[in-house]
Amino acid sequence: VALDPASRRALAGVTLSNVNLVLWQWSDDPARAVGRAAQALAQLDLIAPDLLMTRLAHASMAYTRNDWAGLAAIGEQLVRHHPNEPSAYHHRCGALLRLARFEEAIAACQRAIRISPRDSRLSTWQGLMGFNQFQLGRYAQAEQSLRASTANDPRVPFYFVVLAAALAEQGRRDEAARVMQEA
C-alpha cells in the first residue's frame, strides 16, 4: 500500500490480515486493527467494489461485528457471483450456523468440500458440518464429521469438545471423557 495506494491486492491483504489479528485474538489493540481494516476496505470499495477480494474482505469484517445476517447476505452474493469459490460457501456456512439454519449450513460446507477437497480449511468445514449436525440432533453423523475434522487437524481443540458432546449424547460417556482428556 505504501508503494501503490491503489493496489487492490495490498488493500485486501491489509484488511484480511488485520481482521484475522482480531478474530484469532493476536492483536494487542483490536480496535486499532479493526479501524485499519475498515480504512483499507473503504479504499478498496472505491477502487474495486465487485472484486472477489473486496467481497471476501466484507465477509471477514462481518465476523468482527457478529453480523450474521449481513454475513449471510454477503455469502449469498459471493455464491451467486463466484459459484466455484470455496470461500463463498465457507462464509455462507459460518453465517447460517449462527442463524440456526443448520441444514443449509451443512449443504454450504459440503459444497466447499466438493469444490476444494484438499483445501487447508477442510478440517474447519468438516468441523462446522459436525457442529450443525450436532445442533440437529444427528449425533452419529456429527461424530463422523468431527472425527474427520480432528484427524485432519488435531490442533483445533473446539471440534474435540463437540465430538465429546456427540459421543456423550450417544451414551458413550467414557469415550467422551477420553476424547476430552486427549484434547
Side-chain angles (χ1 to χ4, degrees):
V1 174
L3 295 175
D4 181 1
S7 170
R8 297 168 181 180
R9 182 171 283 159
L11 289 166
V14 168
T15 301
L16 294 169
S17 61
N18 277 279
V19 165
N20 280 318
L21 286 174
V22 173
L23 294 178
W24 290 101
Q25 299 177 350
W26 293 333
S27 175
D28 293 333
D29 190 349
R32 184 170 184 265
V34 169
R36 180 68 180 117
Q39 180 183 18
L41 183 53
Q43 185 65 24
L44 189 57
D45 272 332
L46 293 173
I47 297 167
D50 294 327
L51 187 70
L52 171 62
M53 291 303 293
T54 304
R55 290 183 171 130
L56 292 174
H58 275 285
S60 293
M61 285 294 289
Y63 280 100
T64 67
R65 298 185 302 268
N66 296 328
D67 178 10
W68 311 125
L71 180 59
I74 294 166
E76 294 301 324
Q77 186 181 62
L78 281 163
V79 166
R80 186 171 48 257
H81 294 286
H82 308 279
N84 293 315
E85 171 55 51
S87 296
Y89 298 92
H90 173 95
H91 290 304
R92 187 168 191 271
C93 179
L96 294 174
L97 165 65
R98 288 161 178 93
L99 293 171
R101 292 168 55 188
F102 306 122
E103 291 285 356
E104 295 170 85
I106 292 168
C109 281
Q110 288 171 331
R111 178 72 175 133
I113 292 169
R114 279 194 306 275
I115 293 170
S116 190
R118 291 180 181 82
D119 199 288
S120 63
R121 297 167 292 180
L122 176 62
S123 64
T124 298
W125 299 333
Q126 292 165 325
L128 288 170
M129 281 186 1
F131 192 81
N132 282 288
Q133 291 159 333
F134 181 89
Q135 294 292 21
L136 290 167
R138 298 179 190 156
Y139 305 120
Q141 287 179 343
E143 176 190 352
Q144 185 179 19
S145 296
L146 292 160
R147 283 196 187 279
S149 173
T150 57
N152 283 327
D153 189 353
R155 297 169 297 169
V156 182
F158 175 75
Y159 298 121
F160 283 99
V161 174
V162 185
L163 172 58
L167 292 167
E169 288 292 340
Q170 295 177 79
R172 294 157 54 199
R173 297 195 185 285
D174 290 343
E175 190 176 352
R178 279 192 304 277
V179 166
M180 286 301 295
Q181 192 170 36
E182 290 170 9

